[in-house]
Structures are given as structure tokens and as C-alpha cells.
Amino acid sequence: MVCISAQIAQFTTNYKPDVNVVIDMHETNQQEVMKELFDGAIDIALIRTDYLDEVDVFDCIPYKKDIFVLVCNQNHPLSTKEAVSLNDLIKYPLSLLDTSSVIYTIVMKAFERHGIEKKTKCLTTRHKILMEILQTAPNISLLPLSLVDLTLFPHLCTVPLVEELTSDVALIKLKKRRLNKITKDFWIYWQKYFQMQ
């Protein structure tokens, strides 16, 4: 997988020498991102497209398919398994991102599809806070692998899921929105380096 930050830095550095390129990147929940996109506060957004409404109004460059894994403390009883099923998770307290997140919806619908009634023990708006909680609690979580940084949280581990659980990530823009020259060039640059094969 290509490193996003390195490639974005390369774009800003190698763009026309006489042009100062500033890319304003910020992270927030997807509802806020979509509001900013429709309000014109931002031009493009990297989002999860699994439950994206009004898909016909967007141009979209698929980026990757994120695979979910179990995340738990290294001392957790499930940590030594080669893989776990959703049924294996029933008796353990579940921590997730909050109910407004696409990740929450994906996970809870997966339990529902498999006929499992599962309630959450803890909800938070940030995945790093969630992983901090998992370091010292018996809780478990299901997260896309790309969000799990074991170098920052060395007491955690990941375990593959038996059932495939994924999330699609893409760069999007409104079709009706006219982009300025630099943003348009960045869109083309993204297609070259990041479009999912």
C-alpha cells in the first residue's frame, strides 16, 4: 500500500516551483465531512462509501478495501487464536466508535446478519481513544486494520476474523463542484498513485 502522507508531501514539494501549495487536511466524523463537502467548505474528502447516499452526485476514486480485525489486549483470552468468529465474541464486552460512525454501522449489521444480539459496553468518537481503553480493559473491538497502530499501542494485538468484514474507502468530490487548478491537479495525481487496482 502506498503511503498517503509521503505521496501528498511529494505532490506539494514537486508541484510548480513558483506555486506555494497548501493542503489543509483535517479529520472529523463522516457526517461532518459530508456537511462540509455539500456546504463548499471542502472540495474533496476521503471517506467510507459503504452507506453513502446519493452516489450519483459524486465523482469517486476507489482507494482501498479495509479489512476488519479483532483488536484486544495481548493478555485477552482471544489474543492467542489464529482467527475468531463473531460467535466467539458474544461473551466479551464490545467497545466501538460511536453510533454516528460508518464503522459502528458495519459492525452492528454484521452481528445482526449472523443472528447475534450484541450490545456495546463503551463508545467513543476517536479510534485512538478506543485503543487506549482496550489497553487496560477486558473489552474487545472490531476495527479496520488500517486504523490499528500497534507501535503506538504495544499492549494490543489483532486477530483475523473468520467472517469477511470490510469497508470501502474512496476519495470523492461533488460532480457539480468546479475545482481550482491545484485541486484538480491533486485529483489527477491521486488517480495516478492511489486508485485501487
Side-chain angles (χ1 to χ4, degrees), residues 167-193:
S167 173
D168 293 320
V169 181
L171 191 72
I172 68 167
K173 67 179 181 67
L174 288 168
K175 287 181 177 177
K176 65 181 182 180
R177 172 96 17 91
R178 293 185 65 183
L179 302 178
N180 64 42
K181 176 74 166 71
I182 295 174
T183 308
K184 191 182 295 182
D185 288 344
F186 180 77
W187 181 265
I188 294 166
Y189 177 84
W190 184 279
Q191 283 181 304
K192 178 179 178 182
Y193 283 100

Side-chain angles (χ1 to χ4, degrees), residues 63-124:
Y63 168 52
K64 69 176 172 181
K65 188 174 286 291
D66 239 348
I67 298 172
F68 280 71
V69 293
L70 168 71
V71 186
C72 63
N73 191 289
Q74 286 181 349
N75 297 321
H76 196 280
L78 296 176
S79 65
T80 57
K81 291 188 171 286
E82 288 187 15
V84 293
S85 71
L86 294 178
N87 279 315
D88 292 331
L89 311 182
I90 292 175
K91 65 179 180 178
Y92 299 104
L94 178 67
S95 295
L96 284 177
L97 294 177
D98 69 54
T99 56
S100 67
S101 74
V102 174
I103 289 172
Y104 175 92
T105 303
I106 291 170
V107 170
M108 297 311 287
K109 284 189 177 292
F111 281 117
E112 189 179 306
R113 279 194 309 274
H114 289 83
I116 300 170
E117 187 175 335
K118 187 70 177 162
K119 293 184 179 177
T120 54
K121 182 77 172 176
C122 176
L123 296 172
T124 179

Side-chain angles (χ1 to χ4, degrees), residues 24-36:
D24 181 10
M25 294 170 43
H26 67 278
E27 180 184 353
T28 186
N29 68 63
Q30 190 148 316
Q31 289 178 338
E32 185 61 30
V33 169
M34 297 308 293
K35 182 180 184 304
E36 290 178 356

